Amino acid sequence: MDSQFKAGILIEALPYIQEYYGKTVVVKYGGSAMQSDELMDAVIRDMILLKCVGIDVVMIHGGGPEINEMLKKIGKESKFINGLRYTDKETIDIVQMVLSGKVNKSLVSRIENFGGRALGLCGIDGNMLKAQRKGGDVDYGFVGDVVGVDTRPITDAIDNGYIPVIATLAKDDDGDILNVNADTAAAAIAAALNAEKFILLTDVKGVLHDPHDESTLISVIHGDEVQSLIDEGVISGGMIPKIQCCMHAFNGGVRRTHIIDGRVPHSILIEMLSDSGLGTMIC
Amino acid sequence: MDSQFKAGILIEALPYIQEYYGKTVVVKYGGSAMQSDELMDAVIRDMILLKCVGIDVVMIHGGGPEINEMLKKIGKESKFINGLRYTDKETIDIVQMVLSGKVNKSLVSRIENFGGRALGLCGIDGNMLKAQRKGGDVDYGFVGDVVGVDTRPITDAIDNGYIPVIATLAKDDDGDILNVNADTAAAAIAAALNAEKFILLTDVKGVLHDPHDESTLISVIHGDEVQSLIDEGVISGGMIPKIQCCMHAFNGGVRRTHIIDGRVPHSILIEMLSDSGLGTMIC
Amino acid sequence: MDSQFKAGILIEALPYIQEYYGKTVVVKYGGSAMQSDELMDAVIRDMILLKCVGIDVVMIHGGGPEINEMLKKIGKESKFINGLRYTDKETIDIVQMVLSGKVNKSLVSRIENFGGRALGLCGIDGNMLKAQRKGGDVDYGFVGDVVGVDTRPITDAIDNGYIPVIATLAKDDDGDILNVNADTAAAAIAAALNAEKFILLTDVKGVLHDPHDESTLISVIHGDEVQSLIDEGVISGGMIPKIQCCMHAFNGGVRRTHIIDGRVPHSILIEMLSDSGLGTMIC
Amino acid sequence: MDSQFKAGILIEALPYIQEYYGKTVVVKYGGSAMQSDELMDAVIRDMILLKCVGIDVVMIHGGGPEINEMLKKIGKESKFINGLRYTDKETIDIVQMVLSGKVNKSLVSRIENFGGRALGLCGIDGNMLKAQRKGGDVDYGFVGDVVGVDTRPITDAIDNGYIPVIATLAKDDDGDILNVNADTAAAAIAAALNAEKFILLTDVKGVLHDPHDESTLISVIHGDEVQSLIDEGVISGGMIPKIQCCMHAFNGGVRRTHIIDGRVPHSILIEMLSDSGLGTMIC
Amino acid sequence: MDSQFKAGILIEALPYIQEYYGKTVVVKYGGSAMQSDELMDAVIRDMILLKCVGIDVVMIHGGGPEINEMLKKIGKESKFINGLRYTDKETIDIVQMVLSGKVNKSLVSRIENFGGRALGLCGIDGNMLKAQRKGGDVDYGFVGDVVGVDTRPITDAIDNGYIPVIATLAKDDDGDILNVNADTAAAAIAAALNAEKFILLTDVKGVLHDPHDESTLISVIHGDEVQSLIDEGVISGGMIPKIQCCMHAFNGGVRRTHIIDGRVPHSILIEMLSDSGLGTMIC
Amino acid sequence: MDSQFKAGILIEALPYIQEYYGKTVVVKYGGSAMQSDELMDAVIRDMILLKCVGIDVVMIHGGGPEINEMLKKIGKESKFINGLRYTDKETIDIVQMVLSGKVNKSLVSRIENFGGRALGLCGIDGNMLKAQRKGGDVDYGFVGDVVGVDTRPITDAIDNGYIPVIATLAKDDDGDILNVNADTAAAAIAAALNAEKFILLTDVKGVLHDPHDESTLISVIHGDEVQSLIDEGVISGGMIPKIQCCMHAFNGGVRRTHIIDGRVPHSILIEMLSDSGLGTMIC
């Protein structure tokens, strides 16, 4: 009987639900999983389900493509220094507007549409994210690194029953709003929350021994293996900062960090509520 | 992909979980579903899952077969009057012992074995169930009807995070412990708790138009149809008191009452977390 | 002695502080007071001071000029129907982005810069503002009227010690985000909060008997005088909807509503903590 | 005047009441004090009075005679190994049933009959008592030792205003229910609760220098005297495990442990609320 | 055995303790019971014992003799108008000082000396007692009647675990401190607290049919009998206002009011915790 | 515009208010500031304003002049030993009466008259101040030193929203009420409360380099400078014990201690809410 079979599948998830009950899970959401409506709804519903079964989910998002699109719309050309986009006042204004006004509130709206309760915050709210301008000789404009997290606006939202959705803007001591890397900010927040889990949704399957063969996925990497894997070239390119993010979160007190494939529908649920697991765990 | 398919099934349950979130569901557990180890484990895990997803489940049980077995073991012969077992002091002692000592604590133990948290109570604890001896000319011994429910021991247990498991013993004003009908007591408790749902697990599929054809199941009966269905003989025999129980609960403030088939594994979950529904709903 | 004189002025404010202690004051902020940096800082510091002395301030803002500027930047031309801007999907996206991403978070940032604690919310957060599309034969696009307020995201923020700063976006039952009039939304929120006071910051001195003579300010208008003042032409033009807003708030349970001059620095403080009063009170 | 004299006696108890106010007292109840109805009522009323004057009493009971009686009733013969009863599945079922179903709930009922509020729990409820099967070469069946106490079900009951009444069943990691020594379990619970006092109600006056002369009662034994008293034969036979129980509780953090004569009506009250004291204190 | 007998007496009090558990009892303390050190200590210990057994006692006192003594000490002559002492500014200062400084704090000190926790308040604290000057043609100076009670300072003290001890000063709308009748103020406080019991400690046995024969004590007077008893002269002289006080408290919501003999040691305890009762109950 | 100017002054105070928000400030009130009605009202309103802006003020007072006046009124002659007044039983009674009955309750009344909420306590209430008789060969009668502070009656009052007003009576282990130095007691209370600030209101401008030239005020003294300033004679006479008081409070955990001029109206407000500062800070 069909419905009985489905009930059986629900029951299979029970031990996983019990394991995470009352714990905090931080999900950094971006990339492909944020570009398709279908994948977006899958992620959103995963978040709501996790919240329903007593897990305190925190959603942190970037929004690079939307920012680019908007800059293009206003005819703003981007200047790059050492591969980093120089962020002038007009650009940071667009960044702020797109991240905390468009992407953030649209995610909140989607969560509410599926019956969840969400609160859209950015690093400015309640002085959540404190940053410092990038130092050195080069002036990148309004670009910085997170140097402090005040978790109260997040835990207040959790305690009041909301899923906090966070745009990673930050402010420095001069009161200037800075553009910060969303992955790094997410890792810092996960660490500050002493999260049980930090999940980075990406556009790849995880760390692969052979980048052309998805069957060579490395399921678990221990911290002390990271450097040699970089040296061997197994971890390379854009994966290096992602792995470093995870190491950061892990060293900051997060129990488990994961890089998983955001292109797979319900990848968060699969990672958390089944024994399949997904992607690469760094711990 | 298999795990993705399973995740999809979890997500299908989301709207149902949201509907019952924070509400109270009283399950009267007995009959066949209590005789097989497999069915028992299925019911237990259903209860734990519901608790995990934020639904306040209350489990109420009987234990007729176990009582009979014990009476047989001590060689006690039963005397019947008008079809009701005469309950002398020795018998009520056995009833108390078996219900609140064996069946109750074994259920609690099973819940704990699957990682749930349960508290085994009986109607004596905290003066939960107040009863009155059956009146009239005939003396049935220590047999009575529930006339009052103090819900505090139950809501205390819920508030402290336990699944309350309740044996339906009751006490009268003389301090005598009385044997009461478990279905009726469960209905009274559901009403006193203003439960969202009252589920009677039985050994039949529900109310059938043609008792020999399970495909003639009546899914919904409205209160004002009950009498005519009895008159027509559609509701008959042991089903009559069960329907009356449900009517009692409904009139006492329970939003929905159900008679469902305890022989179907995970019948509670199917009823609550899918659109299939099961058995007969009386409302 | 100078400092002693200043202390005396603080003490003069004491009875007013005591009067409003623990009460809610909703300020609709917009117009000129939002265009100059100096006036902005004055308003911000007024809000923080009121919060400090135990008054629960709620700041609600619009952002017309910023929206126009952005539309211009992306070369979007506006179509008007019956004097109302037709709002297509691209426009509502800009409205959302500018209001909840730029204006809102910039206000939050300013409050934090002066040592206050603020939380930037919009009507989408926690499903705060429920709207309905404007009916009738004409299609204005994504434009609507507020039909319901869930105050929990606001009172949660107040209870956690923040000044809630609210952008007046709203959502309809289809999940579409709609542009709503900020004054009206503010009045609806004030009513839903049972606020003690609703203050509309405007670009005029208040209601004047002779529009060319500021000395003819009407300090108090009672509800039953409104219609005749409109008939006489004393209340006219853009003042009519503002007065109607106040009447709405007042009829919804707000004790006192005020239209005051946002061009006067610290006009909120002057209105609330001195016997001077300012502008026109409608009650 | 008689009533004045009685009032004076109440007042004499005041300093003792003040001393124990808000503290936890664990009473192990068994033996003769549990066989006579009169003594039972005296103990029960002592417990209620202590609860009334703000002392958190916890009642722990055994039930050897009732178990024997039931085993006899079903014609079960007992097999003994090294003086310990071999406990097969049928026997542990009877033990569970009698302890947690009969003795436990009857005590609860008695407390309620005298106007107290009680909650009947066993070590299975909320996974309160964790045990391990007796190791070694000999198989004693379902017999074990307490290796862990989760005090939450007990403190929850106390916080909700009940007198917890506890049957000392326990469970091992395999989910098997084991028979454990009630005195030892009570001592473990008292230690886990950091109780102020642990009282063992027995059938003797206490430790006597000359077992035939009750006037040779030793009022206080210090921990370091125990071994020599055993060597001298002053502490012997069944008194040895009882003293060891007390030592266990004391070493686990209980401030004072007592072996007192349960045959004396109101012995608990006499011990606690007068300067007479009773029996032997081990500290 | 002596200690066993005493324990029995404690147990006799149990049903009375249970009856009053968690309820509020207001005792107006004055007269002879306040003149002798021995009687004072008896009253104090009664209060502490009642507090210990979970009864919320509130002690209200007068202090006429101490006031007279002090006035004499400073050589102040009293002027009487219509039998009422004219209270000038100097006199009300002495009244305030003696009542709230001497009598009140000395009672608090005594309670603390016996291990109780007390807080000494007067009607000025937290604006507890609001009064109005006696009207009419005659000017009695600073003399008034209680017209309002703010119970918060009293319930705050109770909630924080103290016995509130209250001196019956009051203040009028001009901020003047007025002398009010302590019995009447106590009755007003008892009514405002919805007390279970209001006890007036006096210097007589209660209402006597024959004033010269204490055996003619009337144990219970119902409200509707009062007038005829006054007409018959059974209630006369100083007993009339005391009975009216009780009627006031009773009509204000107090369940039982008592006039009892303060000269009997532990009269409060006898009245409350035995079936003897004492004095006259008006209800 | 006048009201705008005043608003500006309020706003100037904002950073100071934010600095002290939620912190505890203990004010020792006495001397000239307590003799004039005008100065008294200024102090009272300062206290209420501070309470209003979220600062937990605690007012501690002496009352030497009032005690002297009362002793004179009853014709009591004072005997001095080594410059200390010998305090016999009659004198300590007067001290208790005047301090906790007259001065204390009059201050409470004044606070209430200005719309504040106050609770008048003395060191006897809730056993707040524990003292020891002065030792040595000389018998000073009922005179002692504070040796312990139970802050609960104070923090209870703060938590319930009152300004605690405290008369510095204390009790020794024999239950005798002792006269203690109010400055020292205030310092001990400030330390026990871990206050942010301890303010001693005096009759001088602060510590002066040249006692005849107020322009030589020393604004800040560090702890290690005190002794040399005493040696130099800059700190001398009555200023020595005051400075020692401050050192005591500071060493006990108070962050800042101040000696300020009580003759200046609103000196507390000037010190706390402006950058002028006043008097001498010892830290």
Side-chain angles (χ1 to χ4, degrees), chain E residues 44-250:
Chain E
I44 291 298
R45 290 196 288 176
D46 284 8
M47 303 293 281
I48 297 175
L49 186 73
L50 293 178
K51 183 78 179 174
C52 268
V53 300
I55 302 168
D56 294 328
V57 284
V58 175
M59 183 179 239
I60 300 170
H61 64 86
E66 287 85 352
I67 294 168
N68 289 338
E69 193 188 330
M70 198 64 204
L71 288 173
K72 212 171 117 190
K73 248 189 185 162
I74 66 162
K76 178 89 184 175
E77 248 174 273
S78 297
K79 191 172 103 190
F80 285 86
I81 311 176
N82 299 337
L84 268 173
R85 185 202 315 254
Y86 174 79
T87 305
D88 59 13
K89 185 74 186 77
E90 193 181 31
T91 305
I92 186 67
D93 274 3
I94 293 294
V95 168
Q96 174 188 327
M97 211 161 45
V98 171
L99 280 188
S100 70
K102 191 172 173 210
V103 181
N104 185 270
K105 299 301 181 185
S106 297
L107 285 172
V108 167
S109 179
R110 252 172 221 266
I111 294 177
E112 303 274 355
N113 287 349
F114 280 111
R117 296 185 67 218
L119 215 63
L121 303 170
C122 74
I124 302 166
D125 291 294
N127 259 340
M128 190 202 297
L129 296 181
K130 186 59 58 195
Q132 217 163 33
R133 280 205 196 215
K134 281 203 179 292
D137 299 334
V138 191
D139 174 19
Y140 297 98
F142 295 93
V143 176
D145 298 304
V146 171
V147 294
V149 179
D150 185 337
T151 58
R152 280 179 301 170
I154 307 172
T155 52
D156 284 345
I158 292 174
D159 292 347
N160 290 325
Y162 303 100
I163 298 174
V165 179
I166 301 170
T168 56
L169 295 161
K171 232 163 67 171
D172 66 11
D173 282 342
D174 300 332
D176 285 327
I177 293 166
L178 303 184
N179 195 2
V180 298
N181 180 279
D183 288 351
T184 323
I189 289 171
L193 287 168
N194 269 312
E196 176 73 14
K197 237 187 212 309
F198 172 57
I199 295 176
L200 256 174
L201 279 189
T202 62
D203 292 349
V204 294
K205 223 179 140 47
V207 179
L208 304 176
H209 258 297
D210 174 352
H212 306 300
D213 179 1
E214 295 209 334
S215 73
T216 64
L217 176 78
I218 307 180
S219 292
V220 182
I221 297 176
H222 290 94
D224 46 16
E225 301 168 333
V226 169
Q227 194 51 48
S228 62
L229 285 169
I230 291 176
D231 295 345
E232 292 167 31
V234 175
I235 302 172
S236 67
M239 187 54 83
I240 295 180
K242 289 196 178 292
I243 295 284
Q244 283 170 338
C245 252
C246 288
M247 288 303 297
H248 231 82
F250 181 72

Side-chain angles (χ1 to χ4, degrees), chain D residues 143-184:
Chain D
V143 175
D145 298 304
V146 171
V147 294
V149 179
D150 185 337
T151 57
R152 280 179 301 168
I154 307 172
T155 51
D156 285 345
I158 292 173
D159 292 347
N160 290 324
Y162 301 100
I163 298 174
V165 179
I166 302 171
T168 56
L169 295 161
K171 232 163 68 174
D172 67 11
D173 282 342
D174 300 333
D176 285 327
I177 294 167
L178 303 184
N179 195 3
V180 297
N181 179 280
D183 289 351
T184 323

Side-chain angles (χ1 to χ4, degrees), chain D:
Chain D
M1 187 199 183
D2 178 50
S3 58
Q4 196 172 319
F5 169 75
K6 289 179 176 178
I9 287 168
L10 287 176
I11 286 301
E12 269 182 37
L14 184 52
Y16 302 98
I17 292 175
Q18 291 175 317
E19 185 184 344
Y20 291 115
Y21 192 83
K23 295 184 177 151
T24 301
V25 173
V26 173
V27 175
K28 165 62 206 338
Y29 177 45
S32 303
M34 226 164 117
Q35 302 312 318
S36 124
D37 255 345
E38 267 197 347
L39 283 174
M40 225 160 164
D41 285 355
V43 168
I44 292 297
R45 291 197 286 176
D46 284 9
M47 302 294 282
I48 297 175
L49 186 73
L50 293 178
K51 183 78 178 174
C52 268
V53 300
I55 302 169
D56 294 328
V57 284
V58 175
M59 182 179 239
I60 299 172
H61 64 86
E66 287 85 353
I67 293 169
N68 290 338
E69 192 187 330
M70 199 63 204
L71 288 174
K72 210 169 119 190
K73 249 187 187 167
I74 65 162
K76 178 91 187 176
E77 249 173 273
S78 297
K79 194 173 100 189
F80 284 87
I81 309 175
N82 299 338
L84 268 173
R85 188 201 313 255
Y86 175 78
T87 305
D88 59 12
K89 184 75 187 75
E90 193 182 30
T91 305
I92 186 69
D93 274 3
I94 293 293
V95 168
Q96 175 187 328
M97 212 162 43
V98 171
L99 281 188
S100 70
K102 191 175 172 206
V103 181
N104 185 269
K105 298 303 182 184
S106 296
L107 286 171
V108 167
S109 179
R110 252 171 222 268
I111 294 176
E112 303 274 354
N113 288 349
F114 280 111
R117 297 184 68 216
L119 215 61
L121 303 171
C122 74
I124 301 167
D125 291 294
N127 258 341
M128 189 201 298
L129 296 181
K130 185 61 57 197
Q132 217 163 32
R133 280 205 194 213
K134 279 200 182 294
D137 299 334
V138 190
D139 173 20
Y140 297 98
F142 295 93
V143 175
D145 298 304
V146 171
V147 294
V149 179
D150 185 337
T151 57
R152 280 179 301 168
I154 307 172
T155 51
D156 285 345
I158 292 173
D159 292 347
N160 290 324
Y162 301 100
I163 298 174
V165 179
I166 302 171
T168 56
L169 295 161
K171 232 163 68 174
D172 67 11
D173 282 342
D174 300 333
D176 285 327
I177 294 167
L178 303 184
N179 195 3
V180 297
N181 179 280
D183 289 351
T184 323
I189 290 171
L193 287 168
N194 267 314
E196 175 73 14
K197 235 184 213 311
F198 172 56
I199 296 176
L200 257 175
L201 279 188
T202 62
D203 293 350
V204 294
K205 227 181 137 46
V207 178
L208 303 176
H209 259 298
D210 172 352
H212 306 299
D213 179 1
E214 297 209 333
S215 74
T216 63
L217 177 77
I218 308 180
S219 293
V220 182
I221 297 177
H222 290 95
D224 47 15
E225 302 167 332
V226 170
Q227 194 51 49
S228 62
L229 285 170
I230 292 176
D231 295 345
E232 293 168 29
V234 174
I235 302 174
S236 68
M239 187 55 83
I240 295 179
K242 290 196 179 292
I243 295 284
Q244 282 168 338
C245 253
C246 288
M247 288 302 298
H248 231 81
F250 180 71
N251 291 330
V254 178
R255 267 203 59 216
R256 281 177 195 172
T257 71
H258 300 263
I259 291 175
I260 67 176
D261 192 345
R263 297 166 306 177
V264 178
H266 303 303
S267 50
I268 300 171
L269 231 52
I270 296 169
E271 165 48 43
M272 291 194 61
L273 302 187
S274 76
D275 53 3
S276 312
L278 256 192
T280 299
M281 176 165 86
I282 299 94
C283 66

Side-chain angles (χ1 to χ4, degrees), chain B residues 105 112-113 120 125-126 160 171, chain D residues 105 112-113 120 125-126 171:
Chain B
K105 299 302 180 185
E112 304 273 354
N113 286 349
D125 290 294
N160 291 324
K171 232 163 68 173
Chain D
K105 298 303 182 184
E112 303 274 354
N113 288 349
D125 291 294
K171 232 163 68 174

Side-chain angles (χ1 to χ4, degrees), chain F:
Chain F
M1 186 200 184
D2 179 50
S3 59
Q4 197 173 319
F5 169 75
K6 288 179 177 179
I9 286 169
L10 287 175
I11 286 300
E12 269 182 35
L14 183 52
Y16 302 97
I17 291 175
Q18 291 175 316
E19 186 183 344
Y20 293 114
Y21 192 83
K23 294 183 177 153
T24 301
V25 173
V26 174
V27 176
K28 165 63 207 336
Y29 179 43
S32 303
M34 225 164 117
Q35 302 311 320
S36 126
D37 255 344
E38 266 196 348
L39 282 173
M40 223 159 164
D41 285 354
V43 168
I44 292 297
R45 291 198 286 177
D46 285 8
M47 303 293 282
I48 296 175
L49 186 73
L50 293 178
K51 182 79 181 175
C52 267
V53 300
I55 302 168
D56 294 326
V57 283
V58 175
M59 183 179 238
I60 300 172
H61 64 86
E66 289 84 353
I67 293 168
N68 290 338
E69 192 188 329
M70 197 65 204
L71 288 174
K72 210 170 119 189
K73 247 190 188 164
I74 64 163
K76 179 91 187 175
E77 249 174 273
S78 297
K79 193 173 101 189
F80 285 86
I81 309 176
N82 300 336
L84 268 173
R85 186 204 311 258
Y86 175 79
T87 304
D88 59 13
K89 185 74 185 78
E90 194 181 29
T91 305
I92 186 69
D93 274 2
I94 293 294
V95 168
Q96 173 188 328
M97 213 160 44
V98 171
L99 281 188
S100 70
K102 191 172 174 212
V103 181
N104 185 270
K105 299 302 179 183
S106 296
L107 286 171
V108 167
S109 179
R110 254 171 219 267
I111 294 176
E112 304 272 354
N113 287 350
F114 281 110
R117 296 183 69 215
L119 215 61
L121 302 172
C122 73
I124 301 167
D125 290 295
N127 259 340
M128 189 202 299
L129 296 181
K130 185 63 54 196
Q132 216 163 34
R133 280 203 193 216
K134 278 200 183 294
D137 299 335
V138 190
D139 174 20
Y140 297 97
F142 295 93
V143 175
D145 298 305
V146 171
V147 293
V149 179
D150 185 337
T151 57
R152 280 179 301 168
I154 307 173
T155 52
D156 284 345
I158 292 173
D159 293 345
N160 290 323
Y162 301 100
I163 298 174
V165 179
I166 302 171
T168 55
L169 294 161
K171 231 163 68 172
D172 66 10
D173 282 342
D174 300 333
D176 284 329
I177 294 166
L178 303 184
N179 195 3
V180 297
N181 180 279
D183 289 352
T184 323
I189 290 171
L193 287 169
N194 267 312
E196 176 72 14
K197 236 185 213 309
F198 171 58
I199 296 175
L200 256 175
L201 281 188
T202 63
D203 292 351
V204 294
K205 225 180 138 45
V207 179
L208 303 176
H209 258 300
D210 173 352
H212 306 299
D213 179 0
E214 296 210 334
S215 74
T216 64
L217 176 76
I218 308 179
S219 293
V220 182
I221 298 176
H222 290 95
D224 47 16
E225 302 167 334
V226 169
Q227 193 51 48
S228 62
L229 285 169
I230 292 176
D231 294 345
E232 294 168 29
V234 175
I235 302 173
S236 67
M239 186 55 83
I240 295 180
K242 289 197 181 292
I243 295 284
Q244 282 168 339
C245 252
C246 288
M247 288 302 298
H248 230 81
F250 180 72
N251 292 329
V254 178
R255 267 204 58 215
R256 281 175 195 175
T257 70
H258 301 262
I259 291 175
I260 67 177
D261 192 345
R263 297 165 307 178
V264 178
H266 304 302
S267 51
I268 300 172
L269 230 51
I270 296 168
E271 164 50 42
M272 291 194 61
L273 302 187
S274 77
D275 53 5
S276 314
L278 256 192
T280 300
M281 176 165 83
I282 299 94
C283 64

